Amino acid sequence: MHLTNAQSSMIVALIYLGFCLVELARTRFFAKTEQSRHDGIVEIVSTFTLTILTQPAILLTVGALGHRFFPQYEGALAHSPWYAALALFLVFEDMMQYWWHRASHSTAWLYNLHRAHHNARYMSVRLVYRNNLLYYAMMPSIWLAGALVYLGLGWFYAFYLIVKMLVIIGAHSDVAWDAPLYRIRALAPVMWVVERTISTPATHHAHHGRHADDPAVHYKGNFGNLLFFWDVLFGTAKITRHYPASYGVENLPPATLGQQLLWPILPENKDMEAVIPGATPARAEAQAAVAAG
């Protein structure tokens, strides 16, 4: 059975919509706790830019470059067995995204591109595609996925993308699918394997936690997207089976709408600074942290 890119994208959209409906029914999808007036704008713009413009443009660009400079390699891997295709995508797409994500939390310039993803003070499927517009355009894993498609593995990518996005969407949702499973004693061995293999709400929520002194927070680790195994392998994993008390960015001034979407093209936009009702301003948090020494 072969899926077209359009069919694969439709299935991913239906998965996303399904999680949206669950959140709408259980956790106020349109009115998250501590939501600012700019959150929805950032999420809508970045989601549609990636899915409609950035990702298709990268695939087309890679294809055009391949036809121009490497026409002899087009479709060279088309008859590869599925397990070889899986290995190639896990290494060159998913593991590469792990390292890009990890670099984005250790390099100030890259973190400015990634900051929008963590600026929200809530978890939700709304965050799945939330990032600076340049963040995905520069992401090596998307370009490498395009190269694998050009080499003839588009048939596998259609299935791979569905599985990967199912995991990622589920890991961001504030309706944690793993929570009830941890309470079933008979599933303990299964969940031990699952939480060390793929990203779950518990492990990924930890990455989005706001306060470093929260035992469930680990925003300097748990970088995996499809596979959490990369965190286990490279020493950045923290597994608690608990969820942070709050989410967002600690000890940094608030990022403006322009900064979130188009830094460094729009490095300053003070008139658009987000105000989060009822929340302690980030500058005050930073000053308090410095004063506390």
Side-chain angles (χ1 to χ4, degrees), residues 180-191 241:
L181 301 181
Y182 294 136
R183 296 192 290 268
I184 302 174
R185 184 171 299 180
L187 291 180
V190 175
M191 293 306 295
R241 296 192 176 185

Side-chain angles (χ1 to χ4, degrees), residues 263-277:
W263 185 93
I265 297 173
L266 295 178
E268 292 290 340
N269 196 353
K270 295 180 180 179
D271 293 337
M272 303 291 279
E273 186 167 302
V275 177
I276 302 171

Side-chain angles (χ1 to χ4, degrees), residues 11-20 23 123-129 161-177 199-201 204-205 225-226:
I11 293 172
V12 171
L14 290 174
I15 292 171
Y16 187 87
L17 178 60
F19 274 94
C20 289
E23 286 192 17
M123 290 302 294
S124 170
V125 297
R126 290 167 47 175
L127 307 187
V128 170
Y129 302 108
L161 194 62
I162 292 170
V163 175
K164 177 162 184 169
M165 293 313 302
L166 174 62
V167 171
I168 292 176
I169 292 169
H172 282 87
S173 177
D174 61 355
V175 180
W177 60 263
S199 293
T200 63
H204 196 68
H205 283 213
N225 293 273
L226 169 56

Side-chain angles (χ1 to χ4, degrees), residues 7-290:
Q7 290 171 326
S8 177
S9 298
M10 181 60 68
I11 293 172
V12 171
L14 290 174
I15 292 171
Y16 187 87
L17 178 60
F19 274 94
C20 289
L21 293 175
V22 172
E23 286 192 17
L24 182 63
R26 299 184 59 183
T27 61
R28 299 188 309 166
F29 178 75
F30 293 109
K32 299 298 185 181
T33 302
E34 297 190 60
Q35 177 177 319
S36 79
R37 61 193 177 94
H38 291 146
D39 284 323
I41 299 173
V42 174
E43 289 153 5
I44 291 170
V45 172
S46 57
T47 294
F48 281 96
T49 300
L50 171 66
T51 56
I52 295 175
L53 179 61
T54 305
Q55 191 169 31
I58 289 175
L59 293 176
L60 289 172
T61 300
V62 172
L65 291 173
H67 289 142
R68 176 66 178 84
F69 297 106
F70 307 102
Q72 68 274 27
Y73 295 115
E74 183 176 6
L77 300 178
H79 300 294
S80 301
W82 69 266
Y83 49 84
L86 175 61
L88 287 170
F89 273 102
L90 288 180
V91 171
F92 290 103
E93 197 279 335
D94 196 57
M95 188 181 74
M96 184 59 67
Q97 189 174 0
Y98 163 87
W99 285 108
W100 173 256
H101 190 189
R102 182 170 175 173
S104 298
H105 282 267
S106 57
T107 306
W109 196 89
L110 285 180
Y111 186 73
N112 282 333
L113 293 179
H114 185 51
R115 165 86 184 267
H117 188 67
H118 288 273
N119 213 57
R121 296 198 170 202
Y122 50 84
M123 290 302 294
S124 170
V125 297
R126 290 167 47 175
L127 307 187
V128 170
Y129 302 108
R130 174 175 172 153
N131 259 305
N132 183 292
L133 301 186
L134 301 179
Y135 180 79
Y136 287 118
M138 296 171 58
M139 184 179 287
S141 58
I142 301 180
W143 290 87
L144 289 173
L148 291 174
V149 169
Y150 178 74
L151 291 171
L153 296 181
W155 61 271
F156 184 83
Y157 186 54
F159 290 98
Y160 171 83
L161 194 62
I162 292 170
V163 175
K164 177 162 184 169
M165 293 313 302
L166 174 62
V167 171
I168 292 176
I169 292 169
H172 282 87
S173 177
D174 61 355
V175 180
W177 60 263
D178 56 342
L181 301 181
Y182 294 136
R183 296 192 290 268
I184 302 174
R185 184 171 299 180
L187 291 180
V190 175
M191 293 306 295
W192 188 94
V193 174
V194 168
E195 66 190 353
R196 286 163 175 79
T197 304
I198 65 171
S199 293
T200 63
T203 56
H204 196 68
H205 283 213
H207 177 68
H208 281 261
R210 187 186 310 178
H211 300 298
D213 58 359
D214 184 337
V217 169
H218 188 46
Y219 50 69
K220 288 296 185 180
N222 292 17
F223 301 114
N225 293 273
L226 169 56
L227 293 188
F228 186 73
F229 173 73
W230 304 127
D231 287 282
V232 176
L233 180 64
F234 297 118
T236 54
K238 181 177 181 179
I239 300 173
T240 67
R241 296 192 176 185
H242 296 287
Y243 307 87
S246 60
Y247 301 95
V249 178
E250 184 176 39
N251 297 337
L252 287 177
T256 67
L257 179 62
Q259 287 170 315
Q260 290 187 72
L261 286 174
L262 278 173
W263 185 93
I265 297 173
L266 295 178
E268 292 290 340
N269 196 353
K270 295 180 180 179
D271 293 337
M272 303 291 279
E273 186 167 302
V275 177
I276 302 171
T280 302
R283 282 199 186 88
E285 291 182 2
Q287 292 168 357
V290 172

